[in-house]
C-alpha cells in the first residue's frame, strides 16, 4: 500500500479545464481527471494556509477555536499516526510557513522531510544593505523576494522544480517498497506569481505597466490592463504547476503504480484575481472562488476513473481517507469521512478565525457575520501561543486564563485569552445568503427568511458538533441551545451596509483628488476643510477607526480594506477636489 498527496496552494478550481471553460493552459489536470474521481462539491474548512493543513492532519475544524498556529499537543496527526503504525511518511515541500513560528510542529510529524527555500520573501539569502528601510513588513518581504529570485535564475533552480525533483527521487528510491506516504507540497500558485519566460510566453498580451505579480490583500484599484496582466501571471504559474503534476503522472505511468498507489491532488484554498472587486483572500467574505476547491482522488480500493462525485466533501475528509486506506481507523476526534465511500456531509462549515462563520448545504451558502460592530467576544484557545511569524507578546499572555477542556483536547485545559484585534471584521461586510443554483457566481445575495432560518439551524448544529466556544455563538448572535427564531435573522438588518461595502471601487485613474486620498490620515486632517468633509461623509473615521489606524494609513487604504464604501469614497473625492491644499498652521 502506497500513497501520494500532491498539494498545491491557492489553486483556483474555476481556472482548470476539468471544472470550467478556461484560458489557462493546464492539460495535465484534464489528464488527471480521466484517471481519477473529480469532486464537484469539495469545500475548504479552516483557513488560510496553516489552519487548512491542521485540518489535513487532524480531520477536524479548528478556525472556531484558534487562529493561525501550530499543531497542538492534543491534536491527532494523520502522518504521525501512520508513522507509529509502521508507514514511512515523507514530506517534500517549498512551503515557507512550515518553518515559521506558527507552523513549526507540522513537518516533524513525518518520518522524514526536506525543504526548499526561496518562496514569498522567505528569509533565505542574506544580502547586507538590502534589508533595511522597508516601510512595512510587506515591503520587506517584497525586497527579500527580489533577492531570492536572483538565486533561481533558471527553471531548474526554482524551488517548485526542486521540490518535485525531490519527490520523484523518493519515488525512484522507494517505488518497489511498501507502506509509505509521500506528500509533495508546492507553495505555488500562491503569490507572488514567479515563473520563467517559457510559461509567460503561453499568454501573450500587451502590457506596459509596472511589474505586478504580487497583488495586495485589498480591493482592486488597478486599471483593467493591470488586472488582466496579473491573471496572466497567475495562469503562467498554474501552467508550471501543471507541468509538475505531469511529471508525477508520468512516473506513475512508467512504473505502473496505479494498482497499489493512492493519489490525492488538492489545494488549501483559492485566490481572488479581481472577482467581486477583490484581490487575494482573508480580508473579504469567503466567496466560492476561494473555498469551492479542485479535488482529485485515485483510490485503488474503488477504482474510480474518469468519474464525477457530487457529494459534499471537505478538507477534513483527507485524514480519515488516508488512514482507512492503510487499514487504520480515524480517531474519535476526527469529523471527516472516508472519501472511498459516496457518503457526503449534510453541511460544510468554513471560515477564518474572527471572520464570517459560513455554512453550505451544497445549494445555499450562508455567511454569518458578527451581530455587533465590535466582532466580539473573540478568543484564542491554545497551548502553543504563537502567531504566524511571531510568538504571542507578553501583553497578550498577561490576559490568559485556563479554559475548561473541550471534547477534543483529551482532558487538557487550554490557555484562553482575548484574540488580538485585526482589520478583518465580518460585521462590515454583513450577513450574506447565496443560492448557487440560480447565482453560481455569487453576484446577487438574496433575502429569504425561511432559508436563512434553516441555514442558521444547520450552522448551529455543525458548530455544536465541533464543540465551538460559547463566545462564538454570542459573537454571531445565535443560540447554542433552544429554538432558532426570527429574532436571530441578520440579513435584513445588515443588508444596507453589506450592499454598500460590496460595490467595487472605481478605477484609480478616475479620482479627482488622488493625492489627498493617498495622504496619511493624520496628515489629511491638517488640510483645510478635510476633517469637515470626513465628519460629514464618514464620521466613524474621525470618531473611531482613525484612533486604531496605523499612522501611514490613508483614506484609500481604508477603502481598499472595505472600511469606506465606494459611493462614500466617490463623494469624498469630489469634495476634496474643491479644497485648497494648504496645511493647517501648527498650534505650537
Amino acid at each position: 500500500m502506497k500513497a501520494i498527496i500532491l498539494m498545491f496552494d491557492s489553486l483556483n478550481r474555476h481556472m482548470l479545464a476539468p471544472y470550467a471553460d478556461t484560458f489557462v493552459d493546464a492539460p495535465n489536470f484534464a489528464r488527471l481527471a480521466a484517471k481519477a474521481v473529480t469532486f464537484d462539491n469539495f469545500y475548504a474548512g479552516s483557513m488560510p494556509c496553516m489552519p487548512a493543513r491542521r485540518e489535513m492532519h487532524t480531520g477536524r475544524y479548528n478556525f472556531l477555536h484558534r487562529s493561525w498556529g501550530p499543531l497542538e499537543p492534543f491534536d491527532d496527526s494523520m502522518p504521525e499516526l501512520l508513522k507509529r503504525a509502521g508507514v514511512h511518511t515523507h514530506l517534500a515541500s517549498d512551503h515557507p510557513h512550515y518553518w515559521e513560528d506558527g507552523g513549526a510542529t507540522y513537518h516533524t510529524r513525518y518520518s522524514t522531510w526536506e525543504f526548499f527555500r526561496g518562496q514569498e520573501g522567505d528569509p533565505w539569502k542574506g544580502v547586507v544593505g538590502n534589508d533595511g528601510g522597508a516601510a512595512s513588513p510587506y515591503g520587506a518581504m517584497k525586497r527579500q523576494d527580489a533577492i531570492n529570485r536572483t538565486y533561481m535564475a533558471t527553471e531548474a533552480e526554482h524551488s517548485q522544480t526542486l521540490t518535485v525533483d525531490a519527490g520523484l527521487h523518493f519515488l525512484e528510491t522507494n517505488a518497489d517498497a511498501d507502506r509509505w506516504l509521500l506528500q509533495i507540497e508546492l507553495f505555488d500558485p500562491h503569490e507572488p506569481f514567479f515563473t520563467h519566460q517559457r510559461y509567460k510566453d503561453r499568454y501573450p498580451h500587451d502590457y506596459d505597466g509596472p511589474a505586478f505579480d504580487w497583488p495586495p490583500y485589498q480591493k482592486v484599484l488597478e486599471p483593467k490592463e493591470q488586472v488582466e496582466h496579473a491573471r496572466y501571471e497567475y495562469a503562467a504559474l498554474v501552467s508550471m504547476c501543471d507541468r509538475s503534476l505531469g511529471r508525477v503522472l508520468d512516473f506513475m505511468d512508467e512504473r505502473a503504480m496505479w494498482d497499489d498507489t493512492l493519489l490525492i491532488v488538492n489545494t488549501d484554498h483559492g485566490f481572488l484575481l479581481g472577482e467581486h472587486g477583490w484581490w487575494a483572500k482573508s480580508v473579504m467574505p469567503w466567496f466560492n472562488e476561494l473555498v469551492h476547491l479542485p479535488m482529485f482522488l485515485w483510490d485503488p480500493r474503488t477504482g474510480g476513473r474518469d468519474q464525477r462525485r457530487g457529494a459534499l466533501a471537505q478538507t477534513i475528509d483527507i485524514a480519515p481517507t488516508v488512514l482507512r486506506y492503510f487499514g487504520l481507523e480515524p480517531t474519535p476526534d476526527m469529523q471527516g469521512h472516508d472519501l472511498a465511500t459516496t457518503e457526503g456531509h449534510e453541511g460544510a462549515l468554513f471560515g477564518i478565525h474572527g471572520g464570517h462563520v459560513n455554512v453550505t448545504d451544497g445549494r445555499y451558502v450562508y455567511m454569518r457575520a458578527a451581530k455587533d460592530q465590535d466582532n466580539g467576544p473573540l478568543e484564542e484557545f491554545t497551548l502553543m501561543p504563537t502567531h504566524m511569524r511571531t510568538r504571542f507578546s507578553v501583553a497578550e499572555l498577561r490576559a490568559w486564563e485556563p479554559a475548561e477542556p473541550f471534547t477534543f483536547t483529551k482532558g487538557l485545559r487550554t490557555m484562553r485569552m482575548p484574540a488580538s484585534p485585526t482589520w478583518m471584521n465580518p460585521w462590515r461586510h454583513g450577513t450574506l445568503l447565496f443560492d448557487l443554483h440560480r447565482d453560481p457566481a455569487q453576484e446577487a445575495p438574496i433575502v429569504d427568511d425561511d432559508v436563512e432560518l434553516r441555514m442558521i439551524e444547520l450552522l448551529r448544529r455543525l458548530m455544536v458538533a465541533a464543540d465551538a466556544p460559547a463566545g462564538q455563538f454570542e459573537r454571531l448572535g445565535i443560540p447554542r441551545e433552544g429554538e432558532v427564531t426570527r429574532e436571530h435573522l441578520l440579513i435584513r438588518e445588515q443588508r444596507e451596509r453589506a450592499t454598500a461595502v460590496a460595490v467595487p471601487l472605481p478605477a484609480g485613474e478616475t479620482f479627482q483628488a488622488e493625492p489627498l486620498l493617498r495622504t496619511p490620515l493624520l496628515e489629511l486632517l491638517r488640510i483645510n476643510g478635510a476633517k469637515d468633509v470626513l465628519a460629514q461623509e464618514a464620521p466613524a473615521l474621525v470618531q473611531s477607526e482613525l484612533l486604531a489606524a496605523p499612522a501611514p494609513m490613508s483614506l484609500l487604504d481604508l477603502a481598499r480594506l472595505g472600511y469606506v464604501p465606494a459611493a462614500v469614497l466617490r463623494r469624498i473625492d469630489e469634495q476634496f477636489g474643491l479644497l485648497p491644499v494648504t496645511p493647517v498652521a501648527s498650534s505650537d
Side-chain angles (χ1 to χ4, degrees), residues 264-275:
I264 291 174
V265 178
N266 72 308
T267 189
D268 50 0
H269 49 68
F271 191 90
L272 290 176
L273 291 159
E275 299 92 345

Side-chain angles (χ1 to χ4, degrees), residues 1-3 87 177-181 260-262 300-301 324-327:
M1 305 292 284
K2 308 162 190 177
V87 177
D178 194 26
R179 292 181 63 76
W180 51 254
L181 165 69
D260 63 353
T261 306
L262 177 84
R301 293 175 296 173
R324 282 253 173 88
Y325 174 76
F326 282 103

